[in-house]
């Protein structure tokens, strides 16, 4: 976890453009949480406001209607009115036909009701007998009529002794509208009360006319929410029975006829056009074929409710609303507000967050583009430095080799003038992981002082961003090239080489470090300071600390790491369990290669090669060569190649001691080595520091399960 956090920190430190992206993500999470909280609060508050406003409007309407009904009830029980009504409804005395209009009793009832009509602003009256015939009315055209459909249910209830409201309907006779014009179809509303005789029996129903476009509508329009809020009433046919505040807009969108005599009362049915007519859209279905709005359907079914999620109203516009049904008066009342206005603060908040997202996104893009431009300029500068053959204080001469990660040049220090091998990261392959491996290789190699380990002189980074380190220049040949060019080596020379390798590894193992990539390409053979066949172990880039406490400073495993041709079984099966004995397995495999000229196992497939290392017993070198090999040497090599680490030599020094006890250990003398170097040094050997990046086959390094060329 610590390592992951460290790498994440390095990445965030280098990749500045990622911070605005992180900010966008964090802001998105915060924005979503804030928006959800604000939306939830707004919905709860909006529902409360709608229901409160509806309750106030309904209470005011009920109070007014109850007051009006009490006036009608009191008038129906007035002694003089009752006396006149009883005479008018007396079948024996009741006139018929035209005589009914001219009846003195009819005129007398008008006089008796006139004070009440004037005082309480009633527009007229009707008197129904028990057969629901109009026996008296303020409008002579209605006298004598039977079975007015608009009154049937209310007169029936009145005859049963109930005081009722007859919701607004279109007048069937000529009546003055609110502008004083005489016409039919004017909205009228009646309050009905029973008239009783002396024995308390209902003999007639008195109905007083109320103009619904006056107090009735005004009460519903007293309170509202916002600019688009309104409260209206509707009947059981889902027809609006109060006037809308927005009649001009209803005429603009085609819901009302565009003339001065048409009003929304009784002319607007609460049906969902299924398109937003306020946006200029036109419904495909006729009004009568359209479904009722969700609110109207719920209210007519007798339910009260509130909807703050939004639904399409009679205009098709998204609306929030609260509603209730008043069974006593057979009316529904709804208060509503446009969804856009109701959630305008939420939309402002949403657009604010979107603006911040856009700014942060633009910042991320700008920083990313800037980073790319800077990276390209840096790479250009790096390549220019390479072309100039100058790396800090080092002057570069010829290229010695290249690998999967680095390039090696021969050069010299500007002041010391000492030949130096300078290894640098490939410009085109520089990344966080390669820099980390490169730095780790230098740091670990610097801890090692054994003469058979390559020495590091310097490490740094140029102003152009080129990472490099300088090490001793080795004018020799690696073991891979040695065998490729000169074939299998003598037993004495193999023992000499392996003993020196063991010396280098023993120091590393003593410090708790495992090389993990011992192979012929990582072992150089040199003639230095008059000493021929001096071995130098290279490439500690994959080194691993055995001590868990030092893992944070060195390489971590967790994946297949090493070169398949020289990889121990535990490195294949349990990479994290590799210890010093894994390096000794590789030393045995290198010795086998030097002695026979061929690897221990060969295959066209990496998978098959790994399987052989894990399961297959190696062929003894004597059988591979077809001739005898010193038993002690063969036994030492096969001991190193044991599948079980516990059966191998346990330390590099133990292996070195075992090799020195071989009968042929001292056959390769200094004189023979000098002779060999004298014969082949002129034009034959090349300063070779690159492993085998240009070779085919499986002489490659696997890091974390991926095959890469060696360094």
């Amino acid at each position: 976890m610590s390592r992951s956090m460290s790498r994440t920190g390095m990445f965030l430190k280098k990749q500045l453009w990622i911070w605005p992206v992180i900010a966008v993500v964090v802001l998105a999470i915060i924005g979503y949480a804030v928006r959800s909280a604000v939306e939830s609060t707004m919905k709860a508050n909006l529902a409360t406001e709608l229901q409160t406003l509806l309750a106030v409007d309904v209470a005011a309407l009920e109070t007014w209607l109850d007051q009006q009904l009490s006036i009608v009830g009191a008038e129906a029980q007035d002694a003089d009115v009752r006396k006149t009504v009883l005479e008018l409804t007396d079948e024996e005395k009741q006139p018929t036909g035209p005589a009914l209009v001219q009846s003195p009793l009819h005129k007398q009832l008008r006089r008796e009701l006139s004070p009440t009509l004037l005082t309480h602003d009633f527009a007229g009256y009707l008197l129904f007998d028990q057969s629901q015939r109009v026996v008296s009315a303020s409008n002579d055209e209605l006298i004598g009529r039977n079975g007015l459909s608009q009154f049937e249910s209310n007169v029936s209830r009145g005859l049963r002794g109930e005081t009722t409201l007859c919701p607004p309907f279109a007048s069937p006779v000529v009546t003055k509208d609110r502008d004083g014009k005489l016409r039919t179809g004017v909205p009228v509303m009646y309050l009905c009360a029973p008239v009783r005789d002396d024995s308390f029996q209902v003999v007639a129903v008195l109905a007083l006319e109320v103009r619904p476009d006056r107090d009735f509508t005004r009460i519903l329009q007293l309170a509202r929410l916002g600019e688009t809020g309104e409260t209206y009433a509707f009947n059981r046919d889902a027809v609006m029975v109060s006037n809308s505040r927005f009649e001009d807009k209803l005429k603009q969108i085609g819901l009302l006829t565009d003339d001065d005599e048409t009003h929304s009362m009784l002319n607007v049915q609460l049906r969902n056009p299924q398109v937003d007519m306020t946006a200029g859209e036109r419904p495909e279905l006729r009004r009568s074929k359209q479904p009722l709005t969700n609110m109207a359907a719920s209210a007519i079914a007798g339910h009260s409710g509130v909807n703050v999620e939004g639904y399409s109203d009679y205009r098709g516009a998204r609306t929030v609303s609260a509603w209730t049904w008043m069974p006593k008066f057979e009316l529904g009342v709804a208060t509503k507000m446009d969804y856009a206005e109701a959630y305008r603060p939420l939309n402002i908040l949403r657009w604010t967050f979107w603006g911040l997202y856009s700014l942060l996104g633009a910042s991320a893009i700008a920083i990313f583009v800037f980073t790319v431009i800077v990276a390209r300029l840096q790479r250009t500068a790096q390549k220019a430095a390479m072309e100039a053959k100058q790396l800090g204080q080092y002057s570069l001469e010829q290229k010695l080799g290249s690998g999967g990660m680095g390039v090696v040049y021969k050069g010299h220090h500007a002041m010391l003038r000492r030949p130096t091998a300078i290894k640098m990261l490939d410009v085109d392959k520089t990344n966080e992981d390669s820099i980390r491996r490169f730095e780790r290789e230098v740091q670990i190699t610097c801890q090692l002082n054994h003469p058979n380990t390559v020495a590091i002189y310097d490490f740094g980074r140029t102003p152009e961003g080129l990472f490099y380190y300088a090490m001793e220049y080795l004018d020799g040949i690696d073991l891979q090239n040695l065998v490729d060019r000169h074939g299998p080596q003598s037993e004495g020379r193999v023992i000499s080489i392996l003993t020196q390798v063991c010396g280098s590894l023993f120091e590393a193992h003593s410090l708790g470090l495992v090389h993990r990539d011992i192979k012929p390409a990582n072992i150089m053979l040199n003639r230095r300071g008059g000493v021929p066949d001096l071995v130098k172990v290279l490439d500690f880039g994959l080194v691993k600390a055995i001590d868990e406490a030092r893992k944070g400073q060195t390489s971590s495993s967790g994946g297949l790491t090493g070169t398949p041709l020289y990889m121990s079984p535990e490195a294949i099966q349990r990479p994290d369990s590799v210890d010093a004995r894994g390096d000794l397995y590789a030393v045995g495999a290198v010795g086998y290669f030097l002695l026979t000229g061929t690897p221990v196992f060969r295959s066209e497939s990496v998978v098959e090669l790994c399987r052989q290392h894990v399961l297959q017993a190696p062929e003894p070198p004597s059988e591979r060569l077809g001739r005898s090999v010193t038993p002690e040497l063969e036994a030492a090599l096969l001991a190193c190649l044991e599948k079980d680490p516990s059966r191998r030599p346990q330390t590099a020094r133990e292996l070195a001691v075992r090799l020195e006890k071989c009968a042929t250990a001292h056959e390769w003398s200094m004189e023979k080595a000098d002779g060999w170097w004298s014969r082949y040094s002129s034009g034959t050997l090349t300063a070779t520091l690159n492993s085998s990046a240009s070779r085919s086959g499986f002489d490659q390094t696997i890091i974390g399960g991926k095959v890469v060329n060696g360094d």
Side-chain angles (χ1 to χ4, degrees), residues 31-44:
Y32 178 79
V34 170
R35 183 182 180 280
S36 298
V38 171
E39 184 175 8
S40 177
T41 302
M42 285 189 65
K43 286 181 178 179

Side-chain angles (χ1 to χ4, degrees), residues 656-672:
V657 170
R658 189 166 179 175
L659 290 171
E660 288 176 352
K661 291 181 179 180
C662 295
T664 54
H666 303 289
E667 287 185 355
W668 184 254
S669 64
M670 186 169 293
E671 291 77 13
K672 290 183 179 180

Side-chain angles (χ1 to χ4, degrees), residues 390-445:
Q390 191 67 36
L391 197 68
Q393 298 186 62
Y394 294 92
S395 296
L396 305 182
E397 297 175 2
Q398 76 266 25
K399 181 178 179 181
L400 299 180
S402 63
M405 183 177 69
V407 182
V408 182
Y409 283 86
K410 180 182 178 182
H412 63 270
H413 193 276
M415 299 181 69
L416 296 177
R417 294 294 176 180
R418 175 174 57 188
T420 307
I422 302 167
K423 182 174 181 178
M424 68 185 71
L425 280 176
D426 192 328
V427 173
D428 296 322
K429 298 176 182 178
T430 301
N431 54 50
E432 293 296 330
D433 186 62
S434 63
I435 293 172
R436 179 177 53 81
R437 287 184 55 212
F438 196 79
E439 291 178 340
R440 185 177 65 247
E441 179 178 349
V442 177
Q443 293 164 359
I444 291 174
T445 308

